[in-house]
Amino acid sequence: GEKTLTFKVVKNAISAGSFTIGSSVYTGSAIEPIVTIVYDGNTLEEGTDFTVDFDEMIDAETYEITINGIGLYEGTVNKDFVIEPADINDVIVSGIDSLVYTGKNITISPIITYNDIVIESGNYSYNVYQNSIEATIKDAGEYLLKLTGSKNFTNSKEVDVNVAKLNVSNVVFVAGSVTYNATNQAPVVTATYDGVVLDASNFSVTSSTTEFINANTYELSISGNTNLTGTTTCDYLINKLDISKLKA
């Protein structure tokens, strides 16, 4: 004859396994946890022996994930999954190239990119230094941009910033004009760029003569220095005196 036997399969408690939850580093994109469970010497298979539930995980912080036993396993276990901050030395800094002296303070807006993602400003702060002293960018020369990571980034990164000299061809030089008065009237040259009057220390003026007495148009040679570069010329005019204005 036949006899029917009924077997009850007792499922294993997933909580009895040995768990390894691999940590990750911030990438700017959503990250899925890698969970390894070893039970009685056997490595369990995700999707066959267990599932993992979690919310979207992007930022560097500690998240709680839920591991559910399925198949021959049952129960749930909550575990921490950690996303560590990334090293800010791995970012790419752009938007601070091609800076040129203007006579005004220069405000920079660095663009910070990580894994081809533009990083929001809340993830870093920055300061500018020149000769190891915090500085405002204005004069031509070398500066140092120091990025300090926060939130999703750690450590600091230093980036060179160069402000090039302005070519004198872009500057308006005016020597003006005067009227003959029988005295030596040396020219006074002013330089203007984009509405800003530049300091005279940024250029030197020379001429083939040091005597500016007679009515004439004198050509002045101008050479850039300090924050300006290149050479140019401008005219200085001494007008003739209207003889009718002479006193008898």
Side-chain angles (χ1 to χ4, degrees), residues 59-130:
D59 292 334
E61 58 182 89
T62 299
Y63 299 86
E64 185 177 81
I65 63 175
T66 300
I67 301 165
N68 308 291
I70 60 174
L72 297 177
Y73 299 87
E74 64 180 1
T76 62
V77 175
N78 294 324
K79 294 289 184 180
D80 287 340
F81 174 67
V82 179
I83 298 180
E84 302 285 355
D87 190 338
I88 203 164
N89 285 285
D90 295 330
V91 305
I92 296 174
V93 181
S94 60
I96 55 175
D97 302 324
S98 304
L99 301 179
V100 180
Y101 173 77
T102 65
K104 302 177 183 177
N105 292 343
I106 299 174
T107 300
I108 59 173
S109 299
I111 300 171
I112 313 301
T113 307
Y114 179 66
N115 290 338
D116 297 324
I117 298 172
V118 176
I119 302 303
E120 296 180 354
S121 58
N123 289 288
Y124 62 89
S125 61
Y126 68 86
N127 300 88
V128 176
Y129 297 87
Q130 189 174 47

Side-chain angles (χ1 to χ4, degrees), residues 24-43:
S24 188
V25 175
Y26 173 77
T27 65
S29 302
I31 296 175
E32 296 187 1
I34 298 176
V35 178
T36 302
I37 305 174
V38 176
Y39 187 94
D40 197 23
N42 298 312
T43 301

Side-chain angles (χ1 to χ4, degrees), residues 6-11:
T6 301
F7 294 92
K8 182 180 180 180
V9 177
V10 178
K11 294 187 176 183

Side-chain angles (χ1 to χ4, degrees), residues 70-246:
I70 60 174
L72 297 177
Y73 299 87
E74 64 180 1
T76 62
V77 175
N78 294 324
K79 294 289 184 180
D80 287 340
F81 174 67
V82 179
I83 298 180
E84 302 285 355
D87 190 338
I88 203 164
N89 285 285
D90 295 330
V91 305
I92 296 174
V93 181
S94 60
I96 55 175
D97 302 324
S98 304
L99 301 179
V100 180
Y101 173 77
T102 65
K104 302 177 183 177
N105 292 343
I106 299 174
T107 300
I108 59 173
S109 299
I111 300 171
I112 313 301
T113 307
Y114 179 66
N115 290 338
D116 297 324
I117 298 172
V118 176
I119 302 303
E120 296 180 354
S121 58
N123 289 288
Y124 62 89
S125 61
Y126 68 86
N127 300 88
V128 176
Y129 297 87
Q130 189 174 47
N131 299 322
S132 301
I133 300 173
E134 191 166 1
T136 298
I137 299 177
K138 181 179 180 181
D139 292 335
E142 295 288 338
Y143 297 82
L144 188 69
L145 174 71
K146 183 176 181 180
L147 287 172
T148 302
S150 60
K151 191 177 178 181
N152 291 310
F153 290 88
T154 188
N155 296 328
S156 60
K157 178 184 179 78
E158 295 182 347
V159 181
D160 290 332
V161 178
N162 179 64
V163 178
K165 293 183 178 183
L166 177 66
N167 195 286
V168 294
S169 63
N170 298 307
V171 179
V172 177
F173 292 93
V174 176
S177 63
V178 295
T179 300
Y180 172 79
N181 66 4
T183 66
N184 188 12
Q185 301 182 85
V188 177
V189 179
T190 60
T192 306
Y193 176 74
D194 195 25
V196 178
V197 177
L198 306 182
D199 192 273
S201 63
N202 289 302
F203 58 93
S204 58
V205 180
T206 58
S207 176
S208 59
T209 182
T210 59
E211 293 187 354
F212 301 91
I213 300 174
N214 295 325
N216 199 358
T217 297
Y218 299 86
E219 184 178 77
L220 308 177
S221 297
I222 298 174
S223 300
N225 52 52
T226 310
N227 290 305
L228 302 181
T229 186
T231 59
T232 189
T233 61
C234 79
D235 290 336
Y236 173 51
L237 176 63
I238 298 181
N239 295 299
K240 292 181 179 181
L241 176 64
D242 187 346
I243 196 170
S244 65
K245 295 182 181 181
L246 291 176

